[in-house]
Amino acid sequence: MLDQAPLSSVAPPLAAASAPIAMFATYVHPEAADRVRAVLESTFLSEGKLVREFETQLSAQLGLRHPAALNSGTSALHLALEVAGVGPGDEVIMAPQTFIASALVVVQVGARPVFADIQYETGNLNPADIEHRITPRTKAIMVVHWGGYPCDLAEIQAIATRHNLVVVEDAAHALGATYQGQPIGSISDFTCFSFQAIKHLTTGDGGALCARDPHQAREVFRRRWFGIDRAHSPVSEIGEREYDLTDVGYKYHLNDYAAALGLANLEGFQARLAHRRAMVQQYRAGLGRVAGLQLFQPQPDRESAHWLFGFHVENRLAFIRALRAKGVTASVVHDGIDHNTLFGGKRPELVNQRQFDATQIHIPLHDHLSAEQAEYIIDVIHQGW
Ligand SMILES: *Cc1c(COP(=O)(O)O)cnc(C)c1O
């Protein structure tokens, strides 16, 4: 399998003698340069047939429903809220365990993020902490699949259905993940992906928005390009495109040279995902019985996209220093974002989030990580901190 996924460039070093083993690596397929060069030489740089081909392949290879390729994951989140009709005065219930982009877009549309607690064991939104936060202003629930591990979507969708709410998935970490056998990107009202440089499929910057409803999907395609329906706005004899703008659109589309990079990087994506899965199995087997270390607890009905490998650790600063001294990077990935003044300041009552903030740690997981390096990292952790 893995020979389908040529891993370009040199493998990172094994031990402390040289640069440390990094948390992330940007994967660029060896054929990407040629494919991007062909676009540059064609001088057709804007949104065209390669964007359409990229969208077709995201559907065909990963089961995404109606993916619209956009210029970032943040654009996807913003456009999802716009098309969902979330606006001034509305409330969106969400987990703080995410990157600020998730809540920024809520503020951008004039709505308010309402933070609910997470599950300490996964970092994902706790379905049991949602319902008592619903008010007449609540419009949507936004979920984040932390590190690529899918949230409890069935429970969350049941709450949304009961209260007539929209579900928006921030699936920036979760391309290739599945939940109860269904691909992430085919389940909720809206699913948002990121193809930013350190995400596991990159177009440099980019994203995709999947709207399950075909009418809303058409609206996504129209509003990603100024709100103009290109297919139904012919250019007249005098050279002007004929349309009537009816609502606000954005300049959010992807372009063809980014799509060329995305298409190249889709080659071997499943094999690279399988490689990540194997690395995670190795980590879990090697770290399952270490004093002071508590692994996250996955359920068997879903498969993570394994963007991150995180767990909880005692004496975290000592842990980070001990690993650094032996050439291994270990890092916190995002404190709960509710602490930001813009979002209202830290919520002490979110007990699991505060505990997660205090103990979470992530170790290297990327396409270039080798089994030998994973073994070395396990060994270093066993030596203690
Ligand atoms: C990366 C990321 C985003 C933003 O994606 P961009 O493509 O950088 O705009 C949003 N949410 C989460 C959880 C992310 O990790």
Side-chain angles (χ1 to χ4, degrees):
M1 274 302 271
L2 268 177
D3 55 1
Q4 289 178 356
L7 296 177
S8 63
S9 81
V10 253
L14 192 60
S18 33
I21 301 173
M23 281 283 296
F24 303 103
T26 295
Y27 179 81
V28 176
H29 193 281
E31 284 167 19
D34 283 344
R35 294 173 76 155
V36 174
R37 186 181 305 109
V39 177
L40 298 180
E41 285 170 0
S42 79
T43 74
F44 187 96
L45 306 187
S46 191
E47 181 209 325
K49 65 178 197 296
L50 290 180
V51 170
R52 278 196 298 283
E53 176 61 15
F54 185 48
E55 291 164 343
T56 301
Q57 291 305 322
L58 288 172
S59 292
Q61 296 184 30
L62 296 166
L64 273 54
R65 293 260 306 258
H66 314 131
L70 305 179
N71 58 5
S72 79
T74 307
S75 299
L77 288 163
H78 180 236
L79 194 52
L81 294 181
E82 285 277 339
V83 173
V86 179
D90 292 339
E91 295 172 354
V92 177
I93 296 177
M94 60 189 301
Q97 187 54 41
T98 184
F99 179 57
I100 52 165
S102 315
L104 260 181
V105 296
V106 175
V107 176
Q108 283 170 2
V109 300
R112 194 168 71 85
V114 172
F115 293 104
D117 211 352
I118 58 169
Q119 299 159 330
Y120 182 70
E121 302 74 24
T122 63
N124 284 345
L125 182 61
N126 181 1
D129 198 51
I130 296 173
E131 220 155 2
H132 67 104
R133 298 180 189 279
I134 295 174
T135 75
R137 293 179 167 182
T138 309
K139 264 286 177 57
I141 302 172
M142 186 190 286
V143 301
V144 180
H145 307 301
W146 184 251
Y149 177 73
C151 290
D152 294 337
L153 287 173
E155 289 83 351
I156 289 162
Q157 185 57 56
I159 295 167
T161 303
R162 262 201 304 281
H163 298 273
N164 197 23
L165 306 176
V166 174
V167 175
V168 178
E169 295 179 41
D170 180 341
H173 301 177
L175 186 74
T178 58
Y179 175 80
Q180 296 182 349
Q182 289 180 286
I184 294 298
S186 71
I187 299 170
S188 298
D189 300 308
F190 297 94
T191 309
C192 308
F193 295 99
S194 167
F195 307 133
Q196 189 265 341
I198 60 167
K199 300 291 157 65
H200 33 13
L201 181 80
T202 187
T203 58
D205 268 309
L209 172 53
C210 303
R212 203 181 41 183
D213 175 75
H215 296 286
Q216 287 188 318
R218 226 166 293 142
E219 192 178 335
V220 166
F221 280 93
R222 180 172 60 76
R223 293 179 72 181
R224 79 167 169 190
W225 196 66
F226 304 106
I228 298 172
D229 182 354
R230 261 204 280 210
H232 299 98
S233 56
V235 177
S236 74
E237 203 177 344
I238 60 168
E240 173 75 339
R241 193 179 278 279
E242 291 176 341
Y243 58 83
D244 176 35
L245 208 60
T246 54
D247 52 12
V248 176
Y250 299 91
K251 190 177 159 71
Y252 277 176
H253 60 85
L254 195 70
N255 63 57
D256 262 25
Y257 61 91
L261 174 54
L263 280 163
N265 282 343
L266 264 177
E267 300 281 337
F269 179 79
Q270 291 293 354
R272 295 199 302 281
L273 212 54
H275 176 68
R276 283 173 179 265
R277 201 174 302 133
M279 293 296 97
V280 166
Q281 276 163 6
Q282 192 178 339
Y283 274 150
R284 291 189 68 86
L287 299 174
R289 297 162 64 90
V290 176
L293 188 157
Q294 182 186 333
L295 295 178
F296 290 178
Q297 289 166 27
Q299 304 290 325
D301 67 343
R302 62 201 80 173
E303 184 62 60
S304 179
H306 301 300
W307 186 58
L308 297 170
F309 187 77
F311 47 86
H312 295 293
V313 75
E314 292 169 15
N315 302 321
R316 184 169 65 188
L317 191 55
F319 181 89
I320 293 170
R321 286 173 178 163
L323 266 64
R324 188 186 301 143
K326 287 168 181 157
V328 178
T329 309
S331 171
V332 167
V333 185
H334 308 324
D335 272 334
I337 61 165
D338 58 313
H339 73 80
N340 289 283
T341 302
L342 180 67
F343 306 141
K346 193 176 274 192
R347 315 286 198 281
E349 72 276 14
L350 302 179
V351 174
N352 290 342
Q353 179 66 58
R354 298 288 80 92
Q355 200 188 344
F356 197 94
D357 288 346
T359 59
Q360 61 125 318
I361 193 72
H362 295 77
I363 59 174
L365 179 60
H366 52 73
D367 298 318
H368 300 290
L369 189 74
S370 68
E372 293 72 29
Q373 287 176 317
E375 212 46 55
Y376 174 75
I377 293 168
I378 291 166
D379 198 50
V380 163
I381 292 172
H382 275 271
Q383 288 166 33
W385 61 96

Short mmCIF file of all heavy atoms in Angstrom, two decimals, residues 137-183:
data_model
loop_
_atom_site.label_atom_id
_atom_site.label_comp_id
_atom_site.label_asym_id
_atom_site.label_seq_id
_atom_site.Cartn_x
_atom_site.Cartn_y
_atom_site.Cartn_z
N ARG A 137 -33.03 32.00 20.90
CA ARG A 137 -32.09 32.58 19.92
C ARG A 137 -31.13 31.56 19.33
O ARG A 137 -30.39 31.89 18.40
CB ARG A 137 -31.27 33.67 20.59
CG ARG A 137 -32.12 34.86 20.99
CD ARG A 137 -31.28 35.90 21.65
NE ARG A 137 -32.04 37.14 21.75
CZ ARG A 137 -31.57 38.27 22.26
NH1 ARG A 137 -30.33 38.32 22.70
NH2 ARG A 137 -32.32 39.34 22.32
N THR A 138 -31.10 30.37 19.89
CA THR A 138 -30.15 29.36 19.39
C THR A 138 -30.52 28.96 17.97
O THR A 138 -31.67 28.59 17.70
CB THR A 138 -30.15 28.12 20.30
OG1 THR A 138 -29.98 28.55 21.65
CG2 THR A 138 -29.02 27.17 19.91
N LYS A 139 -29.54 29.02 17.06
CA LYS A 139 -29.80 28.68 15.66
C LYS A 139 -29.04 27.42 15.24
O LYS A 139 -29.50 26.68 14.37
CB LYS A 139 -29.33 29.83 14.76
CG LYS A 139 -30.41 30.83 14.36
CD LYS A 139 -31.34 30.25 13.32
CE LYS A 139 -32.48 31.17 12.92
NZ LYS A 139 -32.05 32.47 12.41
N ALA A 140 -27.86 27.22 15.84
CA ALA A 140 -27.00 26.14 15.32
C ALA A 140 -26.15 25.54 16.43
O ALA A 140 -25.93 26.16 17.48
CB ALA A 140 -26.09 26.70 14.22
N ILE A 141 -25.72 24.30 16.17
CA ILE A 141 -24.70 23.65 17.00
C ILE A 141 -23.50 23.46 16.08
O ILE A 141 -23.63 22.92 14.98
CB ILE A 141 -25.18 22.29 17.52
CG1 ILE A 141 -26.47 22.43 18.34
CG2 ILE A 141 -24.07 21.61 18.35
CD1 ILE A 141 -27.11 21.09 18.72
N MET A 142 -22.35 23.94 16.54
CA MET A 142 -21.12 23.71 15.75
C MET A 142 -20.26 22.69 16.48
O MET A 142 -19.98 22.86 17.67
CB MET A 142 -20.35 25.00 15.55
CG MET A 142 -19.16 24.82 14.61
SD MET A 142 -18.06 26.24 14.58
CE MET A 142 -19.04 27.39 13.62
N VAL A 143 -19.87 21.64 15.78
CA VAL A 143 -19.01 20.63 16.39
C VAL A 143 -17.64 20.64 15.73
O VAL A 143 -17.51 20.98 14.56
CB VAL A 143 -19.62 19.21 16.30
CG1 VAL A 143 -20.97 19.16 16.98
CG2 VAL A 143 -19.72 18.74 14.85
N VAL A 144 -16.63 20.29 16.51
CA VAL A 144 -15.26 20.18 16.00
C VAL A 144 -14.80 18.75 16.28
O VAL A 144 -14.94 18.28 17.41
CB VAL A 144 -14.32 21.17 16.73
CG1 VAL A 144 -12.90 21.05 16.19
CG2 VAL A 144 -14.84 22.59 16.60
N HIS A 145 -14.30 18.09 15.28
CA HIS A 145 -13.80 16.71 15.49
C HIS A 145 -12.34 16.84 15.91
O HIS A 145 -11.44 16.92 15.06
CB HIS A 145 -13.94 15.90 14.20
CG HIS A 145 -15.33 15.92 13.63
ND1 HIS A 145 -16.42 15.47 14.35
CD2 HIS A 145 -15.82 16.36 12.44
CE1 HIS A 145 -17.51 15.61 13.61
NE2 HIS A 145 -17.18 16.15 12.45
N TRP A 146 -12.12 16.87 17.23
CA TRP A 146 -10.80 17.22 17.72
C TRP A 146 -9.73 16.21 17.27
O TRP A 146 -9.84 15.02 17.53
CB TRP A 146 -10.79 17.36 19.26
CG TRP A 146 -9.44 17.81 19.69
CD1 TRP A 146 -8.49 17.10 20.35
CD2 TRP A 146 -8.83 19.08 19.36
NE1 TRP A 146 -7.34 17.84 20.48
CE2 TRP A 146 -7.52 19.05 19.88
CE3 TRP A 146 -9.26 20.22 18.67
CZ2 TRP A 146 -6.65 20.13 19.73
CZ3 TRP A 146 -8.40 21.28 18.54
CH2 TRP A 146 -7.11 21.23 19.07
N GLY A 147 -8.72 16.72 16.59
CA GLY A 147 -7.63 15.87 16.12
C GLY A 147 -8.02 14.92 15.01
O GLY A 147 -7.21 14.11 14.57
N GLY A 148 -9.28 15.02 14.55
CA GLY A 148 -9.77 14.14 13.48
C GLY A 148 -10.72 13.08 13.97
O GLY A 148 -11.27 12.32 13.16
N TYR A 149 -10.94 13.02 15.30
CA TYR A 149 -11.80 11.98 15.88
C TYR A 149 -13.25 12.47 15.92
O TYR A 149 -13.56 13.46 16.59
CB TYR A 149 -11.32 11.63 17.29
CG TYR A 149 -12.20 10.62 17.97
CD1 TYR A 149 -12.18 9.28 17.58
CD2 TYR A 149 -13.08 11.01 18.97
CE1 TYR A 149 -13.01 8.36 18.18
CE2 TYR A 149 -13.92 10.09 19.58
CZ TYR A 149 -13.88 8.78 19.18
OH TYR A 149 -14.72 7.86 19.77
N PRO A 150 -14.18 11.77 15.20
CA PRO A 150 -15.55 12.28 15.08
C PRO A 150 -16.30 12.41 16.41
O PRO A 150 -16.21 11.55 17.28
CB PRO A 150 -16.22 11.23 14.18
CG PRO A 150 -15.10 10.67 13.38
CD PRO A 150 -13.94 10.61 14.32
N CYS A 151 -17.06 13.49 16.51
CA CYS A 151 -17.94 13.74 17.66
C CYS A 151 -19.09 12.74 17.68
O CYS A 151 -19.31 11.99 16.73
CB CYS A 151 -18.57 15.13 17.52
SG CYS A 151 -17.41 16.47 17.73
N ASP A 152 -19.88 12.80 18.76
CA ASP A 152 -21.09 11.97 18.89
C ASP A 152 -22.20 12.54 18.01
O ASP A 152 -23.16 13.16 18.50
CB ASP A 152 -21.54 11.94 20.35
CG ASP A 152 -20.54 11.23 21.25
OD1 ASP A 152 -19.75 10.40 20.73
OD2 ASP A 152 -20.54 11.50 22.46
N LEU A 153 -22.08 12.33 16.72
CA LEU A 153 -22.98 13.02 15.78
C LEU A 153 -24.43 12.57 15.91
O LEU A 153 -25.34 13.39 15.73
CB LEU A 153 -22.47 12.83 14.34
CG LEU A 153 -21.21 13.63 14.00
CD1 LEU A 153 -20.68 13.26 12.62
CD2 LEU A 153 -21.48 15.14 14.07
N ALA A 154 -24.66 11.30 16.22
CA ALA A 154 -26.06 10.83 16.32
C ALA A 154 -26.77 11.56 17.46
O ALA A 154 -27.88 12.06 17.28
CB ALA A 154 -26.11 9.32 16.52
N GLU A 155 -26.12 11.63 18.62
CA GLU A 155 -26.73 12.30 19.78
C GLU A 155 -26.91 13.79 19.49
O GLU A 155 -27.94 14.38 19.85
CB GLU A 155 -25.83 12.12 21.02
CG GLU A 155 -25.80 10.71 21.58
CD GLU A 155 -24.82 9.78 20.86
OE1 GLU A 155 -24.26 10.17 19.80
OE2 GLU A 155 -24.61 8.64 21.34
N ILE A 156 -25.92 14.39 18.85
CA ILE A 156 -25.99 15.82 18.58
C ILE A 156 -27.07 16.13 17.53
O ILE A 156 -27.85 17.07 17.66
CB ILE A 156 -24.59 16.35 18.16
CG1 ILE A 156 -23.68 16.34 19.40
CG2 ILE A 156 -24.68 17.75 17.56
CD1 ILE A 156 -22.20 16.39 19.10
N GLN A 157 -27.16 15.28 16.51
CA GLN A 157 -28.20 15.48 15.49
C GLN A 157 -29.59 15.31 16.10
O GLN A 157 -30.52 16.03 15.74
CB GLN A 157 -28.01 14.49 14.33
CG GLN A 157 -28.98 14.69 13.17
CD GLN A 157 -28.92 16.10 12.59
OE1 GLN A 157 -27.87 16.56 12.18
NE2 GLN A 157 -30.05 16.81 12.58
N ALA A 158 -29.74 14.37 17.05
CA ALA A 158 -31.04 14.17 17.70
C ALA A 158 -31.46 15.43 18.45
O ALA A 158 -32.63 15.84 18.39
CB ALA A 158 -30.98 12.97 18.65
N ILE A 159 -30.52 16.06 19.14
CA ILE A 159 -30.82 17.32 19.85
C ILE A 159 -31.21 18.40 18.83
O ILE A 159 -32.18 19.13 19.01
CB ILE A 159 -29.61 17.77 20.69
CG1 ILE A 159 -29.33 16.76 21.80
CG2 ILE A 159 -29.83 19.17 21.26
CD1 ILE A 159 -27.98 16.95 22.49
N ALA A 160 -30.44 18.49 17.75
CA ALA A 160 -30.70 19.51 16.72
C ALA A 160 -32.09 19.30 16.12
O ALA A 160 -32.84 20.28 15.90
CB ALA A 160 -29.62 19.44 15.64
N THR A 161 -32.45 18.07 15.86
CA THR A 161 -33.75 17.78 15.27
C THR A 161 -34.87 18.17 16.23
O THR A 161 -35.85 18.80 15.83
CB THR A 161 -33.84 16.28 14.90
OG1 THR A 161 -32.75 15.97 14.03
CG2 THR A 161 -35.15 15.94 14.22
N ARG A 162 -34.69 17.82 17.51
CA ARG A 162 -35.71 18.15 18.53
C ARG A 162 -35.96 19.65 18.62
O ARG A 162 -37.07 20.09 18.85
CB ARG A 162 -35.24 17.66 19.90
CG ARG A 162 -35.84 16.33 20.31
CD ARG A 162 -35.80 16.08 21.81
NE ARG A 162 -34.51 16.16 22.46
CZ ARG A 162 -33.60 15.18 22.43
NH1 ARG A 162 -33.83 14.07 21.77
NH2 ARG A 162 -32.45 15.32 23.07
N HIS A 163 -34.90 20.45 18.43
CA HIS A 163 -35.03 21.90 18.65
C HIS A 163 -34.92 22.70 17.36
O HIS A 163 -34.75 23.91 17.39
CB HIS A 163 -33.95 22.36 19.65
CG HIS A 163 -34.10 21.73 20.99
ND1 HIS A 163 -34.90 22.25 21.98
CD2 HIS A 163 -33.58 20.59 21.52
CE1 HIS A 163 -34.86 21.48 23.05
NE2 HIS A 163 -34.06 20.45 22.80
N ASN A 164 -34.99 21.99 16.23
CA ASN A 164 -34.96 22.66 14.93
C ASN A 164 -33.70 23.52 14.75
O ASN A 164 -33.77 24.68 14.36
CB ASN A 164 -36.22 23.51 14.77
CG ASN A 164 -36.47 23.87 13.33
OD1 ASN A 164 -35.99 23.18 12.42
ND2 ASN A 164 -37.19 24.96 13.09
N LEU A 165 -32.55 22.93 15.04
CA LEU A 165 -31.27 23.64 14.91
C LEU A 165 -30.47 23.06 13.75
O LEU A 165 -30.64 21.91 13.37
CB LEU A 165 -30.45 23.50 16.20
CG LEU A 165 -31.13 23.91 17.51
CD1 LEU A 165 -30.23 23.62 18.69
CD2 LEU A 165 -31.54 25.38 17.46
N VAL A 166 -29.58 23.89 13.22
CA VAL A 166 -28.69 23.47 12.14
C VAL A 166 -27.41 22.88 12.77
O VAL A 166 -26.96 23.38 13.80
CB VAL A 166 -28.32 24.69 11.28
CG1 VAL A 166 -27.27 24.35 10.23
CG2 VAL A 166 -29.57 25.26 10.62
N VAL A 167 -26.86 21.84 12.17
CA VAL A 167 -25.57 21.30 12.64
C VAL A 167 -24.49 21.67 11.62
O VAL A 167 -24.62 21.38 10.43
CB VAL A 167 -25.61 19.77 12.83
CG1 VAL A 167 -24.23 19.24 13.19
CG2 VAL A 167 -26.62 19.40 13.92
N VAL A 168 -23.47 22.35 12.11
CA VAL A 168 -22.31 22.70 11.29
C VAL A 168 -21.11 21.95 11.86
O VAL A 168 -20.79 22.09 13.04
CB VAL A 168 -22.03 24.22 11.32
CG1 VAL A 168 -20.78 24.56 10.51
CG2 VAL A 168 -23.23 25.00 10.82
N GLU A 169 -20.47 21.15 11.03
CA GLU A 169 -19.25 20.46 11.46
C GLU A 169 -18.02 21.24 11.04
O GLU A 169 -17.85 21.51 9.85
CB GLU A 169 -19.17 19.06 10.84
CG GLU A 169 -20.25 18.10 11.28
CD GLU A 169 -20.11 16.75 10.59
OE1 GLU A 169 -18.97 16.26 10.43
OE2 GLU A 169 -21.15 16.18 10.19
N ASP A 170 -17.18 21.61 12.01
CA ASP A 170 -15.84 22.08 11.68
C ASP A 170 -14.98 20.83 11.59
O ASP A 170 -14.53 20.28 12.60
CB ASP A 170 -15.32 23.04 12.75
CG ASP A 170 -13.91 23.54 12.44
OD1 ASP A 170 -13.21 22.89 11.63
OD2 ASP A 170 -13.49 24.55 13.02
N ALA A 171 -14.80 20.37 10.35
CA ALA A 171 -14.07 19.12 10.11
C ALA A 171 -12.66 19.42 9.58
O ALA A 171 -12.11 18.64 8.81
CB ALA A 171 -14.85 18.25 9.12
N ALA A 172 -12.10 20.53 10.06
CA ALA A 172 -10.76 20.92 9.60
C ALA A 172 -9.72 19.84 9.87
O ALA A 172 -8.72 19.74 9.16
CB ALA A 172 -10.34 22.23 10.27
N HIS A 173 -9.95 19.01 10.91
CA HIS A 173 -8.99 17.95 11.26
C HIS A 173 -9.43 16.59 10.72
O HIS A 173 -8.75 15.60 10.99
CB HIS A 173 -8.88 17.81 12.78
CG HIS A 173 -8.45 19.05 13.50
ND1 HIS A 173 -8.34 19.13 14.86
CD2 HIS A 173 -8.09 20.27 13.03
CE1 HIS A 173 -7.94 20.35 15.22
NE2 HIS A 173 -7.80 21.06 14.11
N ALA A 174 -10.58 16.52 10.06
CA ALA A 174 -11.25 15.23 9.94
C ALA A 174 -11.45 14.73 8.50
O ALA A 174 -12.29 13.86 8.27
CB ALA A 174 -12.58 15.27 10.67
N LEU A 175 -10.69 15.23 7.55
CA LEU A 175 -10.84 14.71 6.18
C LEU A 175 -10.42 13.24 6.15
O LEU A 175 -9.31 12.90 6.54
CB LEU A 175 -9.97 15.51 5.20
CG LEU A 175 -10.20 15.13 3.73
CD1 LEU A 175 -11.53 15.68 3.22
CD2 LEU A 175 -9.07 15.63 2.85
N GLY A 176 -11.35 12.38 5.70
CA GLY A 176 -11.05 10.95 5.63
C GLY A 176 -11.59 10.18 6.82
O GLY A 176 -11.53 8.95 6.84
N ALA A 177 -12.14 10.88 7.82
CA ALA A 177 -12.72 10.19 8.99
C ALA A 177 -14.09 9.64 8.63
O ALA A 177 -14.75 10.11 7.70
CB ALA A 177 -12.84 11.16 10.16
N THR A 178 -14.51 8.60 9.39
CA THR A 178 -15.85 8.06 9.19
C THR A 178 -16.55 7.93 10.54
O THR A 178 -15.92 7.72 11.58
CB THR A 178 -15.83 6.67 8.51
OG1 THR A 178 -15.07 5.77 9.32
CG2 THR A 178 -15.23 6.73 7.13
N TYR A 179 -17.88 8.04 10.49
CA TYR A 179 -18.72 7.90 11.69
C TYR A 179 -19.83 6.91 11.37
O TYR A 179 -20.59 7.12 10.43
CB TYR A 179 -19.31 9.26 12.06
CG TYR A 179 -20.29 9.21 13.21
CD1 TYR A 179 -19.84 9.16 14.52
CD2 TYR A 179 -21.66 9.19 12.97
CE1 TYR A 179 -20.73 9.09 15.58
CE2 TYR A 179 -22.56 9.13 14.02
CZ TYR A 179 -22.09 9.08 15.32
OH TYR A 179 -22.98 9.02 16.36
N GLN A 180 -19.89 5.82 12.11
CA GLN A 180 -20.86 4.75 11.87
C GLN A 180 -20.92 4.39 10.39
O GLN A 180 -21.98 4.26 9.79
CB GLN A 180 -22.24 5.16 12.42
CG GLN A 180 -22.18 5.33 13.95
CD GLN A 180 -23.50 5.69 14.58
OE1 GLN A 180 -24.47 6.01 13.89
NE2 GLN A 180 -23.55 5.65 15.92
N GLY A 181 -19.75 4.28 9.81
CA GLY A 181 -19.62 3.82 8.43
C GLY A 181 -19.80 4.90 7.37
O GLY A 181 -19.61 4.64 6.18
N GLN A 182 -20.16 6.11 7.78
CA GLN A 182 -20.38 7.18 6.79
C GLN A 182 -19.25 8.19 6.83
O GLN A 182 -18.77 8.56 7.90
CB GLN A 182 -21.69 7.90 7.11
CG GLN A 182 -22.91 7.08 6.82
CD GLN A 182 -24.15 7.88 7.17
OE1 GLN A 182 -24.48 8.08 8.34
NE2 GLN A 182 -24.82 8.37 6.14
N PRO A 183 -18.83 8.65 5.65
CA PRO A 183 -17.73 9.63 5.63
C PRO A 183 -18.14 10.96 6.26
O PRO A 183 -19.26 11.43 6.05
CB PRO A 183 -17.45 9.84 4.13
CG PRO A 183 -18.31 8.91 3.38
CD PRO A 183 -19.32 8.31 4.31
#
